[in-house]
Amino acid sequence: MELFTLRPAPHSPPKRVHGWMLCCSLLYLLIFLLFFLSLLCLGQMTDLLYTEKELVQSLREYIKAEETKLASVKSWANKLDALTRVSTTDPEGYLAHPVNAYKLMKRLNTEWNELESLVLQNPSDGFISNMSVHRQYFPDEEDETGAAKALMRLQDTYQLDSEAFSKGKLPGMQSDAFLTVDDCFDMGKTAYNDADYYHAVLWMQQSLKQLDAGEEAATTKAEILDYLSYSVYQMGDLPRAIELTRRLVAIDPSHQRAGGNLRYFEKLLFKQLNELNQAYQPASEEPIQLGTYNRPKDHLPERETYEALCRGEGIKLVRKRSRLFCRYQDGFRNPRLLLKPMKEEDEWDSPHIVRYLDVLSSEEIDKIKELAKPRLARATVRDPKTGVLTTAQYRVSKSAWLEGEDDPVIARVNQRIEDITGLTVDTAELLQVANYGVGGQYEPHYDFSRRDEPDAFKRLGTGNRVATFLNYMSDVTAGGATVFPDFGAAIWPRKGTAVFWYNLFKSGEGDYRTRHAACPVLVGSKWVSNKWIHERGQEFRRPCGLTEVD
């Protein structure tokens, strides 16, 4: 049997020669690769090393940026989680403090936008879509500005200095609410942008004080001094403006305005001193605070009286107390009040203002608020020149109008008002519900139309507003009184009670003593509802008097 054996192919070189050629080929390849690599090292390898190093550094910066962003977002989440746990436990109580209300406006208008921008650096679709859904309900810049102005209004009315506000110290209330350096600076900028240099000085000074005390802030001392020095100049205090501007120049010698302002202020001051033949007096070292400068006059002639009454000062009730009484009132033998007459108290004798107790139950109040909340809108006033309804800075509240057909509770309240007053409400206006939040107010005004606005209620066809019936639907911790500057009366809100007065004499002439105001709410949330009763239909219920002032 023949065995198969392996043999070289025809014309193949011997096995020894083939191995040698393979080795030579590999040697040539190795020499080529070494030569190529030597060229690459000389020409490119060092650049690649540096490129790789830059990539690694860039990678680390990216990681650091992501970690910083994530840490910032986590910090935000932790802070807001703690904040919302407190705020949502008692929303109305939390927002009753004006500082909390202002900071809510600021957070939603400014700080949440900053968080959105931070997240947008590496977009997160879920978060952004969620933001987009809720953004339509966020307050805007006008709301934030309005909240800042509300704090200033409270500051003026209740004579609270900026430091008290910044520490959350309000009369009769302890709170952890506070304003930071940046918050105070933003308050000052709000006033400054409105050319309100009086408040700009107060808040910039407070911002500077807190910064000097070591509080950390994004706002720099140079920024504060820039605004503060010019605002002080606008208040007419040249020596202090010069001293503040010198501080600014010392901090930032290259400041684009400071040097020019300083030379101008100095020139102006020495010109004034020469004209008055006076010697230069250094700026006062006393800190700027409430009362350092006079508050500018405004449109309201009885401003001081009105605000004093809001603070509980200047009230003339004491000497009249002996002439005020309380009684049961059955609505002139009204069948619905015979078994349960109303408790009536005199609040003032002339003009006669009375308060009724237990007019609205808590259940009725809750229902009225429930019906009104979806309809609340910025309250308007009637322009005396055009007769058109418009918003105004002197009336800051939200209101809604409710009809008797809206709910049996409204119909019942309307009937109760008619039973108590003895006046028909068929020609009255709808029940108006109003909510006064932080700084909410209605400056002194008349409810009736005067002779210079004869067409104010012409379209209603029911004559003038003969009387006002005002329901208080909440207690107010501080502020929020109804005051009458003409005769020095102040009526404080008491939940469930109502006050009533006539705006017109029996002759139909307006009683100008009834000019009244809703004081700014300092702490709390003020809910009221009112019924404006008109002349038509009252001819036999309240007959005309024989004289103009009957």
Side-chain angles (χ1 to χ4, degrees):
M1 185 173 186
E2 186 177 3
L3 297 175
F4 288 96
T5 60
L6 293 174
R7 292 182 176 86
H11 311 295
S12 293
K15 187 174 182 181
R16 177 171 51 83
V17 175
H18 176 78
W20 179 81
M21 290 184 68
L22 181 61
C23 288
C24 288
S25 298
L26 289 171
L27 180 62
Y28 288 135
L29 180 60
L30 180 60
I31 292 171
F32 173 76
L33 286 172
L34 287 172
F35 177 73
F36 176 78
L37 287 172
S38 69
L39 291 177
L40 188 61
C41 285
L42 293 173
Q44 295 177 340
M45 289 296 286
T46 54
D47 290 341
L48 289 175
L49 287 172
Y50 284 110
T51 299
E52 186 179 41
K53 183 179 180 181
E54 289 177 7
L55 287 172
V56 171
Q57 181 63 31
S58 177
L59 179 63
R60 290 191 178 280
E61 290 174 357
Y62 167 74
I63 293 171
K64 184 178 179 181
E66 285 292 315
E67 288 175 343
T68 301
K69 184 178 77 173
L70 186 59
S72 297
V73 174
K74 283 183 176 178
S75 175
W76 260 88
N78 292 336
K79 180 180 73 172
L80 292 172
D81 185 48
L83 183 63
T84 53
R85 275 201 305 270
V86 174
S87 63
T88 55
T89 302
D90 180 16
E92 286 205 1
Y94 178 82
L95 292 174
H97 197 295
V99 167
N100 287 334
Y102 165 70
K103 294 191 75 170
L104 175 64
M105 295 292 104
K106 183 181 177 185
R107 277 198 307 277
L108 291 177
N109 180 53
T110 303
E111 297 176 7
W112 273 97
N113 286 339
E114 295 171 0
L115 178 61
E116 181 183 7
S117 299
L118 178 63
V119 174
L120 275 172
Q121 292 172 8
N122 185 17
S124 172
D125 293 337
F127 176 78
I128 298 305
S129 62
N130 198 24
M131 284 285 292
S132 299
V133 169
H134 293 288
R135 177 174 295 283
Q136 58 184 317
Y137 304 110
F138 281 9
D140 56 20
E141 185 175 351
E142 183 181 358
D143 293 318
E144 182 180 338
T145 299
K149 290 182 177 179
L151 289 191
M152 297 175 204
R153 186 159 55 244
L154 294 174
Q155 181 178 26
D156 293 338
T157 304
Y158 299 104
Q159 294 184 344
L160 303 169
D161 59 33
S162 303
E163 184 172 8
F165 256 124
S166 70
K167 294 181 178 179
K169 293 181 179 179
L170 297 178
M173 187 175 192
Q174 296 293 329
S175 173
D176 294 330
F178 65 93
L179 293 172
T180 64
V181 168
D182 298 323
D183 292 332
C184 294
F185 179 73
D186 288 340
M187 289 282 293
K189 278 181 64 177
T190 297
Y192 183 92
N193 292 336
D194 205 32
D196 178 5
Y197 301 109
Y198 172 78
H199 289 106
V201 167
L202 293 176
W203 286 102
M204 288 298 174
Q205 170 70 22
Q206 182 59 31
S207 181
L208 181 63
K209 182 177 181 180
Q210 291 179 212
L211 192 66
D212 285 341
E215 184 179 320
E216 293 185 2
T219 306
T220 66
K221 185 175 292 189
E223 288 177 301
I224 300 173
L225 287 170
D226 188 16
Y227 281 96
L228 180 58
S229 58
Y230 187 77
S231 299
V232 167
Y233 156 69
Q234 287 288 345
M235 293 305 296
D237 190 347
L238 278 171
R240 198 188 295 259
I242 290 170
E243 187 269 332
L244 291 167
T245 309
R246 284 174 178 167
R247 288 179 62 184
L248 175 56
V249 171
I251 293 172
D252 185 2
S254 62
H255 194 281
Q256 60 178 353
R257 288 182 303 276
N261 283 354
L262 181 58
R263 289 188 293 273
Y264 175 74
F265 295 160
E266 289 175 338
K267 181 179 178 181
L268 192 60
L269 176 62
F270 287 111
K271 180 183 177 182
Q272 291 180 2
L273 292 175
N274 287 334
E275 290 175 353
L276 298 172
N277 195 25
Q278 293 179 350
Y280 172 74
Q281 294 291 333
S284 171
E285 295 183 2
E286 292 294 321
I288 301 170
Q289 54 192 0
L290 207 66
T292 298
Y293 301 125
N294 292 326
R295 184 170 146 206
K297 299 292 183 182
D298 65 6
H299 65 281
L300 200 61
E302 67 264 66
R303 170 71 65 187
E304 291 183 7
T305 302
Y306 154 58
E307 292 183 349
L309 289 171
C310 290
R311 295 191 297 271
E313 303 168 6
I315 299 173
K316 302 174 182 176
L317 180 63
V318 176
R319 64 183 177 82
K320 288 178 171 281
R321 194 173 298 276
S322 61
R323 285 177 275 169
L324 303 180
F325 302 92
C326 59
R327 65 193 70 81
Y328 284 106
Q329 216 267 65
D330 61 10
F332 309 103
R333 306 290 293 172
N334 187 292
R336 280 179 286 268
L337 296 179
L338 283 177
L339 294 179
K340 189 180 179 182
M342 297 301 303
K343 302 170 185 174
E344 182 183 85
E345 297 178 347
D346 290 330
E347 288 283 353
W348 203 258
D349 57 351
S350 182
H352 195 203
I353 303 173
V354 295
R355 187 196 294 261
Y356 297 104
L357 278 57
D358 303 323
V359 174
L360 297 178
S361 67
S362 294
E363 292 75 19
E364 288 172 329
I365 288 172
D366 290 342
K367 187 63 180 180
I368 294 171
K369 289 165 68 174
E370 177 189 331
L371 293 169
K373 282 179 180 178
R375 311 183 194 186
L376 288 174
R378 174 72 185 272
T380 56
V381 297
R382 192 175 301 279
D383 189 313
K385 295 181 180 179
T386 64
V388 176
L389 292 175
T390 183
T391 59
Q393 287 298 323
Y394 60 84
R395 186 180 190 186
V396 183
S397 64
K398 288 196 170 184
S399 63
W401 299 85
L402 302 179
E403 301 185 52
E405 292 78 9
D406 290 333
D407 191 273
V409 167
I410 307 302
R412 191 160 66 243
V413 170
N414 288 340
Q415 183 62 59
R416 191 172 303 149
I417 293 172
E418 180 169 309
D419 293 342
I420 294 171
T421 63
L423 302 174
T424 181
V425 296
D426 291 343
T427 56
E429 296 175 45
L430 302 180
L431 186 72
Q432 181 184 229
V433 181
N435 177 230
Y436 296 84
V438 52
Q441 65 162 5
Y442 193 175
E443 289 181 355
H445 62 282
Y446 302 100
D447 280 351
F448 63 91
S449 66
R450 277 80 64 212
R451 292 179 178 178
D452 59 347
E453 44 178 8
D455 298 332
F457 305 115
K458 186 175 181 179
R459 67 178 181 83
L460 298 178
T462 54
N464 211 341
R465 288 173 174 167
V466 66
T468 296
F469 195 96
L470 177 63
N471 296 302
Y472 292 117
M473 301 198 302
S474 67
D475 294 313
V476 179
T477 305
T482 305
V483 299
F484 294 78
D486 184 80
F487 47 89
I491 301 172
W492 306 97
R494 283 156 55 192
K495 184 177 179 180
T497 69
V499 292
F500 173 76
W501 68 85
Y502 283 102
N503 298 303
L504 307 179
F505 292 110
K506 288 184 178 181
S507 63
E509 292 294 322
D511 187 345
Y512 284 80
R513 298 172 301 172
T514 61
R515 183 172 169 86
H516 62 285
C519 294
V521 175
L522 179 58
V523 181
S525 179
K526 178 183 175 183
W527 283 88
V528 299
S529 60
N530 63 275
K531 197 76 171 173
W532 280 311
I533 303 171
H534 282 247
E535 290 179 290
R536 297 295 176 263
Q538 319 303 343
E539 291 82 359
F540 296 104
R541 295 175 183 247
R542 192 189 188 225
C544 262
L546 299 177
T547 68
E548 186 175 310
V549 294
D550 277 352

